[in-house]
Amino acid sequence: MIHYPKTRQDVSVTDDYFGTTVADPYRWLENDTAPETLAWVAEQNKVTFQYLEQIPFRDRIKERLEKLWNYPRYGSPFRVGDYYFFSKNDGLQNQAVVYYQKGLAAEPEVFLDPNTWSSDGTVTANFAGFSHDHRYAALSINRAGSDWQEMEVMEISTREKTSDALRWLKFSGAAWHKNGFYYSRYDEPKPGEELSAANQFHKVYYHQLGTPQEEDQLIFEDPEHPYRYFFAQTTEDERFLIINSSEGTDGSEIWVKDLQQEGSAFIQLYEGFQYNYAVVDNRGDQLLVHTNENASNYHLVLIHPFTREKSIFVAEKPEKLESAGTSGGKLFVNYLKDVTDQVFQYDLATGQLDRQVRLPGLGSSYGWSGNRDDQELFYTFTSFLYPPTIFRYTIKTGESVLFRSSEIQFNPEDYETNQVFYPSKDGTLVPMFLTHKKGLVRDSSAPTLLYAYGGFNISLSPAFSTSNLILLENGGIYAQANLRGGGEYGESWHKAGMLENKQNVFDDFIAAAEYLQREQYTRPERLTIAGGSNGGLLVGAVMTQRPELFRVALPAVGVLDMLRFHLFTVGWGWVVEYGSSAQSKESFENLYGYSPLHQLKAGTSYPATMITTADHDDRVVPAHSFKFAAALQEKHVGTNPVLIRIDTSAGHGAGKPTAKIIEEQADKWAFVFWNMGLEVY
């Protein structure tokens, strides 16, 4: 019997939404730095870890994960001037080390090692941009998983840091021009509100090397619209400065400035936020734009920013044009064909198709962009049973050769992946990948983890997971469903799962569970559902709508309070996807109808649930998980445990140290198998 911490309720806290009164008794948990909240976190973690520690095979799972994880993992090389850069993690290093070498035949040297920057591996570093003369690299630094960025500059040849140090950046790169770069930042937040207050008034600045941040020049702002993002990029020839403006995660505007003309003004190239626009590159005076304007599956358009003359460069196809990049005078276009990648090479000067790139199989590839004078590319290919593998691609001939294979101790020949299409509630066919041991007997006994995302136009493509080997080795099934709301089949698929259509996403997920049971892959007692962020919302929604359908639920860093998400950090950016409770009565009623926090029913037996969040998550603030856990523990009946695991010095997920990942995954699988009544290893 679990004795949950008693969570104080303040019944006086209510809100009026268009005449409907909604109680919020756990509002006090939104103050994540208050002593009472910190004490509650400590008490909840104590209960959670006492429960996990009594699982007899938890340590064995952790040991197996450490063994599986302990192999060298490389990033694809890329060229900057005379140097090639790549990342490498020896196996159990908390963060990958960045190496560089002068030519591919030279001995690699350490360029930077983030593991030396903190004792627990919670400081990460990524390249934000390289100067076009190949002299400098701008580094984006994140601490403890927060979205807040610091930016520093290193001279490539000497590996020496310059005096440049920038703070309070978010969602920013370094767009180089002459002796400096453009970047995006917010004003410094009030002390104590860094991880929770709404971020407003994103601005673009220009920083000249060697000068303090206070002297940076304000380049672009919109004081009339505090809730907009602005992202700067420059073309490789430094001809254009491009500002991509958005009100959220969908829809954009494009502003362009001619950097060759002294004192030139910004020109608004695309207005309004009805469509998505992304500048891929320029071809002289013209810009190549990836957009879904007049093309639900996206196409590529050439447009002259001054005359507005435009033409279709690569026409729309039945498959979604997922992304595009340029290198060596060529254009590489990645299409999704039933959620797997197809890459085509075009001539950038003529628009003529050169060839379809022969990929190693059905899966996902990335790395199809580089410099204009490149003669080769390095791309990574992966799938559910194909660990990330690096190939060297010759642009002139189209030849791919293996450059670096994975050394993980895993035999893919023992397993198989199949794609099925199942009907959702309204008859829509939804794709799902099933991965398991060969020779699986369909007798409804296989432990199964069903994972999905279903939102924000994000395509959930095949990828290798070391953690999932724990499930596969123990006779389990990993099921990944590609729900509406994602980007797998273009904008029509996305719109079918957003705003007032969000219930379609939940119906698709429920139908996936029903399919797995109907086809005798598994049964409710052996079925776990998992998802993170928007996927955490997905898990929270379906476990409240159909609790009897699942044995275990794992909502991770989820958006679980749909009435107040827009009030914290960058939550306002999701209003274009969800709507908001302040927008209209219709929007409120839609959100209230599926908000996991508000759809919990007293006296209901819910699945065994382990909610996961982190104290430095300033993307989806932990208050979502705190309030949901408190309400679930209050209303749930039965013997299934309902726990919350709150990580420290961690954020939404990006950059999490290897040690923390292994600990979290060991706890997850121990919780899953224990609550299915199964013994592993």
Side-chain angles (χ1 to χ4, degrees):
M1 183 70 178
I2 301 175
H3 297 285
Y4 301 109
K6 186 172 178 59
T7 306
R8 177 175 67 85
Q9 296 188 48
D10 186 347
V11 295
S12 68
V13 180
T14 62
D15 294 295
D16 183 284
Y17 296 97
F18 304 96
T20 298
T21 300
V22 179
D24 195 5
Y26 301 116
R27 176 80 57 86
W28 62 271
L29 285 168
E30 292 179 355
N31 187 352
D32 58 316
T33 60
E36 186 179 15
T37 305
L38 295 174
W40 181 89
V41 167
E43 291 174 359
Q44 290 286 346
N45 266 343
K46 181 179 179 181
V47 169
T48 296
F49 287 106
Q50 284 178 343
Y51 178 90
L52 293 170
E53 286 163 2
Q54 53 95 33
I55 299 175
F57 47 81
R58 178 194 184 208
D59 288 341
R60 297 201 298 271
I61 292 177
K62 183 180 178 183
E63 290 170 5
R64 180 58 180 154
L65 282 171
E66 287 176 340
K67 187 174 181 180
L68 287 169
W69 234 283
N70 195 12
Y71 72 97
R73 298 184 297 281
Y74 293 86
S76 293
F78 60 91
R79 187 177 66 85
V80 180
D82 295 332
Y83 293 94
Y84 285 86
F85 288 81
F86 67 93
S87 63
K88 179 188 176 185
N89 188 311
D90 286 341
L92 297 179
Q93 288 176 295
N94 276 321
Q95 301 293 340
V97 178
V98 177
Y99 293 83
Y100 79 150
Q101 56 197 92
K102 203 166 187 177
L104 287 174
E107 188 70 22
E109 300 177 67
V110 173
F111 184 75
L112 62 90
D113 182 1
N115 297 290
T116 64
W117 297 356
S118 65
S119 59
D120 56 2
T122 56
V123 177
T124 64
N126 295 286
F127 288 121
F130 295 89
S131 62
H132 295 125
D133 62 5
H134 310 135
R135 185 177 176 184
Y136 297 103
L139 304 179
S140 177
I141 300 166
N142 297 73
R143 301 182 186 276
S146 169
D147 279 338
W148 286 114
Q149 302 167 259
E150 300 169 20
M151 199 167 284
E152 297 178 351
V153 177
M154 289 181 69
E155 187 170 15
I156 293 174
S157 62
T158 64
R159 286 177 287 181
E160 294 292 330
K161 287 186 180 180
T162 67
S163 61
D164 304 273
L166 310 180
R167 296 193 69 198
W168 303 117
L169 287 68
K170 261 193 186 185
F171 315 119
S172 177
W176 285 85
H177 177 62
K178 295 184 177 179
N179 195 39
F181 53 84
Y182 302 94
Y183 69 97
S184 306
R185 62 159 292 185
Y186 289 104
D187 294 332
E188 182 176 351
K190 295 178 181 178
E193 297 184 358
E194 296 90 344
L195 301 178
S196 59
N199 300 136
Q200 300 180 55
F201 301 109
H202 214 208
K203 303 180 182 75
V204 175
Y205 287 85
Y206 179 78
H207 174 75
Q208 185 168 322
L209 292 185
T211 62
Q213 187 175 14
E214 305 85 72
E215 296 179 10
D216 290 352
Q217 181 184 358
L218 177 62
I219 299 297
F220 196 93
E221 67 172 337
D222 188 348
E224 295 183 4
H225 298 94
Y227 298 116
R228 285 185 180 175
Y229 301 109
F230 301 109
F231 184 84
Q233 69 180 103
T234 50
T235 53
E236 187 176 338
D237 59 5
E238 297 195 4
R239 171 69 191 276
F240 294 108
L241 167 64
I242 297 136
I243 304 292
N244 190 299
S245 168
S246 62
E247 291 187 324
T249 53
D250 192 58
S252 58
E253 293 184 338
I254 299 289
W255 297 78
V256 179
K257 182 181 179 67
D258 187 351
L259 294 176
Q260 290 184 355
Q261 301 297 321
E262 192 73 30
S264 64
F266 278 102
I267 297 171
Q268 189 168 19
L269 188 61
Y270 291 105
E271 184 177 357
F273 300 95
Q274 186 176 358
Y275 302 106
N276 293 310
Y277 305 97
V279 175
V280 178
D281 203 346
N282 71 309
R283 197 179 72 171
D285 291 340
Q286 296 174 301
L287 296 173
L288 183 63
V289 179
H290 175 235
T291 179
N292 62 346
E293 182 181 10
N294 301 320
S296 177
N297 288 332
Y298 290 80
H299 59 182
L300 292 168
V301 175
L302 268 178
I303 183 168
H304 196 296
F306 310 119
T307 67
R308 304 300 176 94
E309 294 179 11
K310 62 182 177 180
S311 60
I312 295 174
F313 194 68
V314 176
E316 182 183 18
K317 293 174 60 175
E319 296 79 31
K320 183 192 178 185
L321 199 166
E322 179 78 352
S323 60
T326 59
S327 184
K330 301 296 181 179
L331 168 69
F332 294 91
V333 180
N334 182 21
Y335 289 95
L336 280 183
K337 173 70 173 177
D338 287 332
V339 206
T340 58
D341 284 359
Q342 292 184 337
V343 178
F344 295 84
Q345 177 181 312
Y346 290 83
D347 188 271
L348 189 57
T350 65
Q352 294 299 307
L353 175 65
D354 288 339
R355 64 180 66 90
Q356 180 176 354
V357 178
R358 291 186 178 181
L359 297 176
L362 297 178
S364 308
S365 66
Y366 47 92
W368 297 101
S369 62
N371 304 306
R372 294 183 177 183
D373 58 350
D374 280 338
Q375 298 180 20
E376 61 185 1
L377 286 172
F378 295 86
Y379 70 90
T380 299
F381 181 83
T382 185
S383 193
F384 297 107
L385 299 174
Y386 204 112
T389 302
I390 301 169
F391 292 85
R392 187 176 183 175
Y393 178 81
T394 303
I395 295 174
K396 184 177 180 179
T397 64
E399 180 185 19
S400 285
V401 295
L402 178 65
F403 181 76
R404 186 167 280 142
S405 58
S406 170
E407 299 176 29
I408 187 171
Q409 299 303 304
F410 156 76
N411 183 10
E413 297 303 317
D414 295 339
Y415 304 89
E416 63 182 356
T417 295
N418 298 293
Q419 187 180 37
V420 299
F421 293 82
Y422 65 89
S424 189
K425 182 178 181 180
D426 62 0
T428 299
L429 289 178
V430 180
M432 177 166 59
F433 293 100
L434 305 177
T435 302
H436 51 75
K437 282 184 178 179
K438 290 180 178 177
L440 176 80
V441 177
R442 285 158 61 176
D443 60 0
S444 302
S445 68
T448 302
L449 185 137
L450 173 59
Y451 178 84
Y453 187 79
F456 292 94
N457 200 28
I458 292 173
S459 303
L460 202 61
S461 53
F464 185 79
S465 167
T466 303
S467 173
N468 284 344
L469 295 181
I470 298 295
L471 176 66
L472 300 180
E473 289 180 347
N474 285 278
I477 300 171
Y478 175 69
Q480 181 169 296
N482 296 100
L483 317 180
R484 283 175 285 185
E488 291 86 350
Y489 293 99
E491 188 60 20
S492 60
W493 191 255
H494 173 214
K495 287 183 175 178
M498 62 185 290
L499 297 172
E500 71 279 358
N501 296 321
K502 190 65 177 177
Q503 183 60 40
N504 286 337
V505 184
F506 312 140
D507 290 341
D508 290 354
F509 201 52
I510 290 168
E514 292 173 334
Y515 172 88
L516 291 167
Q517 296 173 28
R518 184 171 64 249
E519 297 298 318
Q520 297 185 310
Y521 287 100
T522 193
R523 60 181 185 270
E525 294 78 16
R526 295 286 172 86
L527 181 57
T528 295
I529 52 173
S533 195
N534 175 75
L537 160 62
L538 171 69
V539 172
V542 300
M543 67 175 279
T544 57
Q545 294 182 13
R546 293 290 302 276
E548 80 289 352
L549 204 54
F550 322 103
R551 177 59 179 171
V552 181
L554 301 172
V557 293
V559 187
L560 299 165
D561 181 351
M562 298 308 297
L563 302 187
R564 290 176 59 78
F565 71 84
H566 58 289
L567 301 176
F568 302 97
T569 62
V570 294
W572 49 263
W574 316 330
V575 173
V576 296
E577 182 80 10
Y578 298 140
S580 86
S581 59
Q583 200 171 54
S584 66
K585 182 179 181 181
E586 291 74 22
S587 182
F588 156 70
E589 290 175 345
N590 181 53
L591 293 167
Y592 192 44
Y594 68 77
S595 177
L597 174 65
H598 301 94
Q599 290 306 311
L600 290 167
K601 302 292 191 297
T604 301
S605 177
Y606 289 101
T609 303
M610 186 165 70
I611 304 159
T612 51
T613 187
D615 62 351
H616 278 65
D617 189 348
D618 50 359
R619 184 85 57 84
V620 180
V621 293
H624 285 272
S625 295
F626 293 175
K627 292 165 68 175
F628 186 70
L632 183 58
Q633 289 175 353
E634 171 205 345
K635 298 177 185 297
H636 169 66
V637 297
T639 58
N640 290 337
V642 288
L643 306 173
I644 180 168
R645 185 186 187 280
I646 305 155
D647 213 343
T648 56
S649 296
H652 199 56
K656 185 174 289 189
T658 299
K660 283 183 175 289
I661 293 173
I662 290 175
E663 289 172 359
E664 183 178 46
Q665 293 303 306
D667 288 349
K668 179 186 81 172
W669 289 120
F671 184 83
V672 166
F673 283 111
W674 184 246
N675 280 284
M676 288 181 177
L678 297 173
E679 180 86 13
V680 297
Y681 296 120

